[in-house]
Amino acid sequence: MNGRSMTEGTPWKHILMFALPVLAGSLLQQLYNTVDTIVVGNFSGEAALSAVGTTGSFAFLFLALATGFSAGNGVIIAQHFGAKDEKQVRANASTGILLMLGMGLLSTIAGVLVSRPAFTYLVAVDESFLELTLQYFRIYALGLVFQFGYNIFSSILRAVGDSAATLYFLLIASVLNIILDLVFVAGFNWGVVGAALATDIAQAASFIAAYFYMTRKYPLFRFRLKEFTWSRILAVKTLVTGFPIALQLIIVSFGLTFIQRAVNEFGQSMTASFTVGQRIEMYMNLPCNAFQTTLATYTGQNIGAGQMDRVKKGARQTVLMSLLLTLCISLLVWLLSDNIIGLFKISEQATVYCNSHIRTIAVINVILAIYIPLFGVFQGANHGGAPTIVATGALGTRVLVTYLFRYSDFFGYSIIWWNGLFGFGMGCLITWSYYLSGLWQKNSSIENNR
């Protein structure tokens, strides 16, 4: 079979070589999200910036479904790839593609239908920019099917060891999105509508590029229309394997939605600040998230090959690499915070909030670097429920302390960023306790996915 195996050689070298394209791709994705924010903030004002930013937590709910279930399909394919079972690799890929495209269409419909009650009552968007929020999100939701399609193609490619491909697709999407942002928002003055259209077109381009690359490079995944096969059993296995991963991300989405609701209570300047702060925070999270994705594939392949000791060695080395890279990025963000915030043209009050936000997170997010990569080990070993439990504990803690202390004399509004100290600390404790217990090694055999 074509693809790259990570079952032989030095673990950290395989992991780093696989993770670097994932990291670069995620960086590109964050860059075009950031350009979105910078262009809207500079050319459409703080209300439009707040409108785009406040959709993020709810939009993440759909991304959670796309990412989670695609990753579940990828874990199954990675295990069969490690076992050199070409028939099962192809069958699971076919079912996964059909399943995710169907879910994408349903998500588009649901996103358009529930947007008003969701942003009015759940997110509690301020009336001053509610209509702008709805305009942006409804157009953005039209592109969800492309988001689901891109995620399944990327998961299949990563499962067979091809992480570099996603970098090419995201490069296409990033460049196109930036160009279209400048044309639609800065040139045509279409505001949030232009920003949403630019995102949809960019996602469609990455979806098409991913499909053509996968089918041209890998004959194994070259399906004619009549060759696509649907297996209810395989679909259920994808859903079962992906559900804990998706649920973990859904919990994160709902947790962030409630935090966003608390943010909105402090007015438009705080909402604009939080929008910028979250964009910057995502850069600090890139290493641990890339290593999580990598360890899921690495673990799946090595479990398929029956090499559990190799999994443990790779996990230890990955946590160290994640910590070192995160420290470097956090230090840069701390030192350059004033210059970074200045790019977004937010108000003076929002700038004060944002500076405090990102400098605090630059310190706290180091905690994420030492436990998030282990989520990939659990997912690759068919223990995706563990990250869900951790996410529930961490996000529950963050939401609880936010609502308890947001009007207190000691924390006040700053609990919006200090909540991470409590949540991430709890997440780290639970994750390492579970990893060291060895419980994640039980029922991890590939036989559970046959």
mmCIF file of all heavy atoms in Angstrom, residues 63 66-68 70-71 100 146-156 158 207:
data_model
loop_
_atom_site.group_PDB
_atom_site.id
_atom_site.type_symbol
_atom_site.label_atom_id
_atom_site.label_comp_id
_atom_site.label_asym_id
_atom_site.label_seq_id
_atom_site.Cartn_x
_atom_site.Cartn_y
_atom_site.Cartn_z
ATOM 1 N N LEU A 63 -17.689 22.341 13.610
ATOM 2 C CA LEU A 63 -16.324 21.887 13.365
ATOM 3 C C LEU A 63 -16.016 20.663 14.225
ATOM 4 O O LEU A 63 -15.300 19.752 13.797
ATOM 5 C CB LEU A 63 -15.332 23.011 13.671
ATOM 6 C CG LEU A 63 -13.850 22.677 13.466
ATOM 7 C CD1 LEU A 63 -13.566 22.301 12.013
ATOM 8 C CD2 LEU A 63 -12.982 23.856 13.897
ATOM 9 N N ALA A 66 -17.417 17.651 12.450
ATOM 10 C CA ALA A 66 -16.609 17.332 11.266
ATOM 11 C C ALA A 66 -15.269 16.730 11.664
ATOM 12 O O ALA A 66 -14.844 15.699 11.123
ATOM 13 C CB ALA A 66 -16.394 18.593 10.429
ATOM 14 N N THR A 67 -14.601 17.343 12.623
ATOM 15 C CA THR A 67 -13.278 16.891 13.048
ATOM 16 C C THR A 67 -13.357 15.570 13.799
ATOM 17 O O THR A 67 -12.573 14.646 13.554
ATOM 18 C CB THR A 67 -12.613 17.954 13.940
ATOM 19 O OG1 THR A 67 -12.544 19.191 13.235
ATOM 20 C CG2 THR A 67 -11.221 17.526 14.359
ATOM 21 N N GLY A 68 -14.308 15.478 14.723
ATOM 22 C CA GLY A 68 -14.404 14.302 15.590
ATOM 23 C C GLY A 68 -14.697 13.020 14.838
ATOM 24 O O GLY A 68 -13.987 12.016 14.981
ATOM 25 N N SER A 70 -14.546 12.505 11.566
ATOM 26 C CA SER A 70 -13.503 12.246 10.568
ATOM 27 C C SER A 70 -12.292 11.607 11.235
ATOM 28 O O SER A 70 -11.693 10.665 10.703
ATOM 29 C CB SER A 70 -13.084 13.547 9.883
ATOM 30 O OG SER A 70 -14.127 14.070 9.099
ATOM 31 N N ALA A 71 -11.929 12.113 12.412
ATOM 32 C CA ALA A 71 -10.791 11.543 13.140
ATOM 33 C C ALA A 71 -11.072 10.104 13.553
ATOM 34 O O ALA A 71 -10.168 9.254 13.528
ATOM 35 C CB ALA A 71 -10.476 12.391 14.369
ATOM 36 N N MET A 100 -19.658 11.475 6.060
ATOM 37 C CA MET A 100 -19.325 12.849 6.411
ATOM 38 C C MET A 100 -19.954 13.867 5.463
ATOM 39 O O MET A 100 -20.348 14.959 5.889
ATOM 40 C CB MET A 100 -17.807 13.021 6.437
ATOM 41 C CG MET A 100 -17.107 12.181 7.504
ATOM 42 S SD MET A 100 -17.845 12.354 9.155
ATOM 43 C CE MET A 100 -17.567 14.086 9.446
ATOM 44 N N PHE A 146 -18.519 21.623 2.691
ATOM 45 C CA PHE A 146 -17.129 21.578 2.239
ATOM 46 C C PHE A 146 -16.181 21.329 3.415
ATOM 47 O O PHE A 146 -15.164 20.646 3.276
ATOM 48 C CB PHE A 146 -16.753 22.887 1.534
ATOM 49 C CG PHE A 146 -17.622 23.200 0.357
ATOM 50 C CD1 PHE A 146 -18.347 24.386 0.302
ATOM 51 C CD2 PHE A 146 -17.731 22.313 -0.704
ATOM 52 C CE1 PHE A 146 -19.146 24.682 -0.785
ATOM 53 C CE2 PHE A 146 -18.530 22.599 -1.801
ATOM 54 C CZ PHE A 146 -19.245 23.789 -1.838
ATOM 55 N N GLN A 147 -16.522 21.884 4.557
ATOM 56 C CA GLN A 147 -15.715 21.686 5.758
ATOM 57 C C GLN A 147 -15.707 20.221 6.168
ATOM 58 O O GLN A 147 -14.651 19.662 6.501
ATOM 59 C CB GLN A 147 -16.266 22.554 6.894
ATOM 60 C CG GLN A 147 -15.404 22.590 8.139
ATOM 61 C CD GLN A 147 -15.992 23.525 9.181
ATOM 62 O OE1 GLN A 147 -16.693 23.088 10.091
ATOM 63 N NE2 GLN A 147 -15.720 24.816 9.051
ATOM 64 N N PHE A 148 -16.862 19.578 6.129
ATOM 65 C CA PHE A 148 -16.962 18.160 6.464
ATOM 66 C C PHE A 148 -16.205 17.313 5.446
ATOM 67 O O PHE A 148 -15.492 16.374 5.810
ATOM 68 C CB PHE A 148 -18.422 17.726 6.521
ATOM 69 C CG PHE A 148 -19.090 17.993 7.837
ATOM 70 C CD1 PHE A 148 -19.445 19.282 8.220
ATOM 71 C CD2 PHE A 148 -19.382 16.955 8.713
ATOM 72 C CE1 PHE A 148 -20.062 19.539 9.439
ATOM 73 C CE2 PHE A 148 -19.998 17.188 9.931
ATOM 74 C CZ PHE A 148 -20.342 18.485 10.294
ATOM 75 N N GLY A 149 -16.356 17.645 4.165
ATOM 76 C CA GLY A 149 -15.671 16.900 3.123
ATOM 77 C C GLY A 149 -14.165 17.023 3.220
ATOM 78 O O GLY A 149 -13.436 16.029 3.107
ATOM 79 N N TYR A 150 -13.680 18.234 3.448
ATOM 80 C CA TYR A 150 -12.239 18.437 3.583
ATOM 81 C C TYR A 150 -11.683 17.649 4.762
ATOM 82 O O TYR A 150 -10.607 17.042 4.671
ATOM 83 C CB TYR A 150 -11.927 19.928 3.759
ATOM 84 C CG TYR A 150 -10.520 20.156 4.238
ATOM 85 C CD1 TYR A 150 -9.452 20.046 3.362
ATOM 86 C CD2 TYR A 150 -10.264 20.430 5.581
ATOM 87 C CE1 TYR A 150 -8.147 20.210 3.802
ATOM 88 C CE2 TYR A 150 -8.961 20.597 6.029
ATOM 89 C CZ TYR A 150 -7.918 20.478 5.140
ATOM 90 O OH TYR A 150 -6.637 20.624 5.583
ATOM 91 N N ASN A 151 -12.403 17.643 5.881
ATOM 92 C CA ASN A 151 -11.916 16.956 7.079
ATOM 93 C C ASN A 151 -11.803 15.451 6.882
ATOM 94 O O ASN A 151 -10.849 14.832 7.363
ATOM 95 C CB ASN A 151 -12.816 17.273 8.281
ATOM 96 C CG ASN A 151 -12.375 18.518 9.022
ATOM 97 O OD1 ASN A 151 -11.489 18.474 9.856
ATOM 98 N ND2 ASN A 151 -12.990 19.643 8.680
ATOM 99 N N ILE A 152 -12.762 14.846 6.172
ATOM 100 C CA ILE A 152 -12.672 13.398 5.979
ATOM 101 C C ILE A 152 -11.527 13.058 5.025
ATOM 102 O O ILE A 152 -10.785 12.089 5.252
ATOM 103 C CB ILE A 152 -14.018 12.790 5.502
ATOM 104 C CG1 ILE A 152 -13.926 11.254 5.474
ATOM 105 C CG2 ILE A 152 -14.433 13.315 4.142
ATOM 106 C CD1 ILE A 152 -13.626 10.609 6.795
ATOM 107 N N PHE A 153 -11.338 13.833 3.980
ATOM 108 C CA PHE A 153 -10.220 13.576 3.073
ATOM 109 C C PHE A 153 -8.882 13.721 3.813
ATOM 110 O O PHE A 153 -7.975 12.904 3.646
ATOM 111 C CB PHE A 153 -10.249 14.533 1.880
ATOM 112 C CG PHE A 153 -11.443 14.368 0.986
ATOM 113 C CD1 PHE A 153 -11.968 15.452 0.288
ATOM 114 C CD2 PHE A 153 -12.051 13.136 0.827
ATOM 115 C CE1 PHE A 153 -13.064 15.301 -0.545
ATOM 116 C CE2 PHE A 153 -13.156 12.975 -0.005
ATOM 117 C CZ PHE A 153 -13.667 14.061 -0.689
ATOM 118 N N SER A 154 -8.760 14.743 4.634
ATOM 119 C CA SER A 154 -7.525 14.972 5.378
ATOM 120 C C SER A 154 -7.262 13.854 6.381
ATOM 121 O O SER A 154 -6.118 13.418 6.558
ATOM 122 C CB SER A 154 -7.594 16.313 6.112
ATOM 123 O OG SER A 154 -7.674 17.374 5.196
ATOM 124 N N SER A 155 -8.313 13.383 7.054
ATOM 125 C CA SER A 155 -8.150 12.302 8.039
ATOM 126 C C SER A 155 -7.697 11.010 7.371
ATOM 127 O O SER A 155 -6.852 10.282 7.904
ATOM 128 C CB SER A 155 -9.467 12.065 8.792
ATOM 129 O OG SER A 155 -9.743 13.129 9.661
ATOM 130 N N ILE A 156 -8.243 10.722 6.202
ATOM 131 C CA ILE A 156 -7.844 9.514 5.459
ATOM 132 C C ILE A 156 -6.364 9.607 5.068
ATOM 133 O O ILE A 156 -5.605 8.649 5.224
ATOM 134 C CB ILE A 156 -8.726 9.331 4.201
ATOM 135 C CG1 ILE A 156 -10.163 8.970 4.619
ATOM 136 C CG2 ILE A 156 -8.159 8.249 3.286
ATOM 137 C CD1 ILE A 156 -11.162 9.026 3.474
ATOM 138 N N ARG A 158 -3.982 11.454 6.479
ATOM 139 C CA ARG A 158 -3.132 11.362 7.663
ATOM 140 C C ARG A 158 -3.049 9.924 8.168
ATOM 141 O O ARG A 158 -2.016 9.487 8.679
ATOM 142 C CB ARG A 158 -3.658 12.281 8.765
ATOM 143 C CG ARG A 158 -3.327 13.751 8.551
ATOM 144 C CD ARG A 158 -3.559 14.558 9.809
ATOM 145 N NE ARG A 158 -4.948 14.598 10.184
ATOM 146 C CZ ARG A 158 -5.802 15.558 9.837
ATOM 147 N NH1 ARG A 158 -5.391 16.567 9.083
ATOM 148 N NH2 ARG A 158 -7.057 15.522 10.230
ATOM 149 N N PHE A 207 -11.513 21.714 -0.303
ATOM 150 C CA PHE A 207 -12.248 20.459 -0.464
ATOM 151 C C PHE A 207 -11.956 19.832 -1.836
ATOM 152 O O PHE A 207 -11.641 18.640 -1.934
ATOM 153 C CB PHE A 207 -13.744 20.741 -0.301
ATOM 154 C CG PHE A 207 -14.657 19.646 -0.781
ATOM 155 C CD1 PHE A 207 -14.906 18.527 0.001
ATOM 156 C CD2 PHE A 207 -15.287 19.737 -2.019
ATOM 157 C CE1 PHE A 207 -15.752 17.518 -0.430
ATOM 158 C CE2 PHE A 207 -16.130 18.730 -2.469
ATOM 159 C CZ PHE A 207 -16.362 17.621 -1.672
#
